């Protein structure tokens, strides 16, 4: 452990001890926000964009400039679908004109849960007709925000759309990055691929509304069990011997961070005849679906796993079953108890090789309250 990691570990440990006695509201955890988006739809036509066609892809360079997103136009010039809709729940952070000669513009902030974190995207709309929202308005998915613009040359309704990443949440130079001399590479780095993003995020689970949800907060050494948005139980936990940071590889002694699910449950006692480490499982073993697709994507980008290994992990994640455990990412991550000589709440709680440990008496109760496929979100 480096001196910087050691210092951070001490600070987290001290904060954890203070927090055990300090009042804390688990509902203040960002991932437990009940107003997060539950999915995204297309901004024109019906929720699937029927009756409209999209031209241009984010980052494509043409004679007219660089596309930040698609231009939506009516398939037929009948003007029977004149409205533009919010693609998801959000907050209007701009509504007006960037230039006197242009159409109206709108920019909406959207927040959604992904892999245990709250992510942001900003849907931009330009070339609009009359606006029906103003800055500060909260909008719902499929709420009308404006009339589409009208192209006098084709007699079609049309609207330019884009999806900004959080890096551009304060970018106010307009909807055309060429105004600042930006490149295609810059656009791809700061904008989402509009069509792909919508298609891949049609339905998003909002953790708050899960019938049963486990949230493990590492910095507080707590495990929270929620049922339909109501906190049912809070448990003290111990973490890996390297409690700071997310697990990335076999043997790093860190607990993963992200969203997983329970894929195996086993009651003790556990034999140590062929595996001495089973003595540390305590009374129960609850296996998690680590690594998940996000862990695998990070490793694939670093060329630490193969594409075939990534594909197998991706398939397992989608099915909610145990993924391959023999890659460089490691495996065998779960929730378990401890030996009869239990760890103390007053200790550093840096105990395990990368799992989450409960007091045995708490684990017995917890084991009976959770089922297979129960989602488990682990946050820093």
């Amino acid at each position: 452990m480096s001196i910087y990691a050691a210092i951070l570990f001490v600070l987290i440990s001290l904060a954890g001890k203070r927090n055990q006695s300090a009042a804390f509201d688990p509902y203040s955890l960002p991932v437990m926000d009940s107003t997060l988006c539950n999915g995204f739809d297309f901004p024109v036509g019906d929720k699937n964009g029927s009756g409209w066609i999209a031209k241009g892809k984010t980052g494509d360079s043409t004679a007219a400039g660089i596309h930040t997103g698609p231009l939506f136009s009516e398939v037929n010039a009948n003007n029977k679908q004149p409205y533009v809709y919010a693609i998801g729940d959000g907050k209007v952070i701009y509504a007006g004109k960037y230039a006197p000669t242009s159409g109206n513009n709108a920019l909406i902030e959207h927040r959604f849960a992904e892999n245990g974190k709250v992510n942001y995207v900003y849907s931009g709309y330009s070339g609009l007709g009359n606006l029906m929202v103003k800055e500060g308005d909260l909008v719902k998915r499929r709420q009308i925000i404006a009339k589409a613009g009208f192209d006098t040359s084709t007699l079609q309704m049309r609207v330019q759309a884009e999806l900004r990443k959080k890096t551009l949440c304060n970018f106010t130079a307009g909807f055309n990055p060429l105004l600042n001399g930006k490149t295609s590479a810059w656009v791809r780095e700061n904008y989402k691929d509009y069509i792909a993003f919508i298609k891949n995020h049609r339905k998003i689970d909002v953790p708050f509304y899960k019938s049963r949800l486990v949230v493990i907060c590492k910095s507080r050494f707590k495990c929270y069990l929620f049922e339909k948005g109501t906190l049912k139980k809070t448990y003290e936990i111990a973490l890996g011997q390297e409690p700071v940071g997310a697990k990335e590889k076999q043997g790093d002694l860190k607990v993963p961070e992200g969203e997983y699910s329970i894929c195996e449950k086993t009651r003790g006692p556990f034999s140590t005849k062929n595996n001495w480490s089973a003595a540390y499982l305590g009374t129960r073993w609850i296996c998690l679906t680590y690594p998940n697709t996000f862990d695998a994507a990070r490793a694939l980008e670093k060329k630490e796993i193969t594409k075939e290994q990534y594909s197998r992990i991706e398939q397992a994640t989608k099915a909610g079953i145990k993924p391959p455990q023999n890659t460089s990412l490691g495996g065998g991550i779960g929730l378990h108890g401890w030996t009869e000589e239990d760890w103390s709440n007053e200790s550093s709680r840096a105990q395990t090789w990368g799992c989450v440990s409960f007091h045995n008496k708490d684990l017995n109760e917890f084991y009976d309250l959770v089922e297979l496929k129960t989602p488990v979100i682990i946050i820093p």
Side-chain angles (χ1 to χ4, degrees):
M1 181 187 294
S2 71
I3 186 170
Y4 298 107
I7 292 172
L8 184 57
F9 167 56
V10 171
L11 291 175
I12 287 180
S13 296
L14 291 174
K17 291 179 182 179
R18 288 195 302 270
N19 289 336
Q20 289 169 33
S21 58
F24 175 72
D25 180 8
Y27 292 100
S28 67
L29 296 171
V31 75
M32 290 306 296
D33 187 342
S34 63
T35 67
L36 297 177
C37 286
N38 63 0
F40 295 94
D41 294 322
F42 286 89
V44 288
D46 63 13
K47 64 181 182 180
N48 300 313
S50 297
W52 291 67
I53 188 170
K55 294 182 179 179
K57 188 176 180 180
T58 303
D60 284 353
S61 182
T62 68
I66 302 175
H67 290 291
T68 57
L71 174 65
F72 287 95
S73 301
E74 276 190 305
V75 173
N76 300 309
N78 54 25
N79 308 146
K80 291 184 178 180
Q81 297 174 312
Y83 297 112
V84 179
Y85 304 88
I87 62 172
D89 295 356
K91 181 179 181 180
V92 179
I93 60 174
Y94 183 86
K97 285 190 176 183
Y98 278 116
T101 57
S102 68
N104 284 312
N105 299 271
L107 190 64
I108 301 175
E109 177 186 81
H110 308 276
R111 298 171 301 113
F112 62 100
E114 189 168 58
N115 195 33
K117 299 178 181 178
V118 175
N119 286 340
Y120 291 73
V121 290
Y122 297 79
S123 60
Y125 315 77
S126 61
L128 301 175
N130 293 337
L131 289 169
M132 300 179 187
V133 292
K134 62 183 183 303
E135 185 175 325
D137 283 354
L138 298 178
V139 296
K140 303 298 291 184
R141 184 177 181 178
R142 292 291 295 172
Q143 179 178 330
I144 296 173
I145 61 171
K147 280 194 171 183
F150 185 72
D151 186 339
T152 56
S153 63
T154 62
L155 302 181
Q156 290 176 306
M157 309 297 291
R158 60 191 300 180
V159 60
Q160 182 72 48
E162 63 183 30
L163 272 178
R164 304 179 180 190
K165 299 180 183 179
K166 195 172 183 180
T167 52
L168 284 187
C169 62
N170 295 318
F171 181 62
T172 58
F175 284 81
N176 183 356
L178 288 179
L179 295 175
N180 281 351
K182 305 300 183 183
T183 64
S184 292
W186 182 89
V187 171
R188 292 191 183 97
E189 182 180 350
N190 291 283
Y191 290 80
K192 296 282 190 182
D193 182 325
Y194 195 98
I195 302 298
F197 179 87
I198 298 292
K199 287 183 176 180
N200 293 331
H201 294 82
R202 298 306 303 272
K203 182 180 183 299
I204 303 174
D205 289 333
V206 179
F208 182 89
Y209 295 106
K210 289 282 192 180
S211 60
R212 187 170 284 109
L213 172 71
V214 176
V215 178
I216 291 170
C217 185
K218 293 167 64 174
S219 62
R220 306 195 73 87
F221 298 95
K222 292 284 196 297
C223 171
Y224 302 104
L225 176 62
F226 294 90
E227 292 183 1
K228 296 181 180 179
T230 300
L231 179 64
K232 292 296 185 180
K233 291 286 182 177
T234 300
Y235 301 97
E236 302 289 340
I237 57 171
L239 302 173
Q241 294 172 36
E242 293 283 353
V244 179
K247 184 174 186 63
E248 293 187 352
K249 60 183 179 180
Q250 175 72 35
D252 63 10
L253 303 178
K254 296 181 178 181
V255 174
E257 293 173 7
E259 183 170 350
Y260 306 93
S261 63
I262 295 173
C263 59
E264 288 181 359
K265 294 176 63 184
T266 309
R267 293 177 181 270
F270 301 99
S271 172
T272 59
K273 183 177 181 180
N274 298 315
N275 181 11
W276 62 268
S277 63
Y280 291 90
L281 295 181
T283 58
R284 305 285 189 271
W285 165 245
I286 301 173
C287 187
L288 300 181
T289 54
Y290 171 85
N292 66 17
T293 305
F294 293 91
D295 301 314
R298 182 179 60 247
L300 181 62
E301 184 177 358
K302 294 180 179 179
K303 298 182 179 179
E304 295 171 347
I305 63 172
T306 66
K307 290 183 178 179
E308 190 274 334
Q309 288 174 321
Y310 171 85
S311 178
R312 289 172 58 204
I313 292 172
E314 181 183 39
Q315 292 171 12
T317 298
K318 289 180 179 179
I321 61 176
K322 183 191 286 189
Q325 303 286 284
N326 57 353
T327 71
S328 64
L329 289 163
I333 299 298
L335 317 177
H336 59 70
W338 202 245
T339 62
E340 291 184 5
E341 188 178 346
D342 201 0
W343 49 266
S344 167
N345 289 351
E346 304 306 316
S347 69
S348 70
R349 307 202 200 184
Q351 303 288 135
T352 76
W353 295 305
C355 292
V356 174
S357 175
F358 286 65
H359 296 302
N360 285 326
K361 61 180 179 60
D362 291 337
L363 181 63
N364 294 345
E365 176 186 81
F366 177 83
Y367 184 96
D368 292 334
L369 293 174
V370 295
E371 302 170 342
L372 291 176
K373 296 190 181 293
T374 297
V376 178
I377 293 176
I378 307 176
I379 60 178

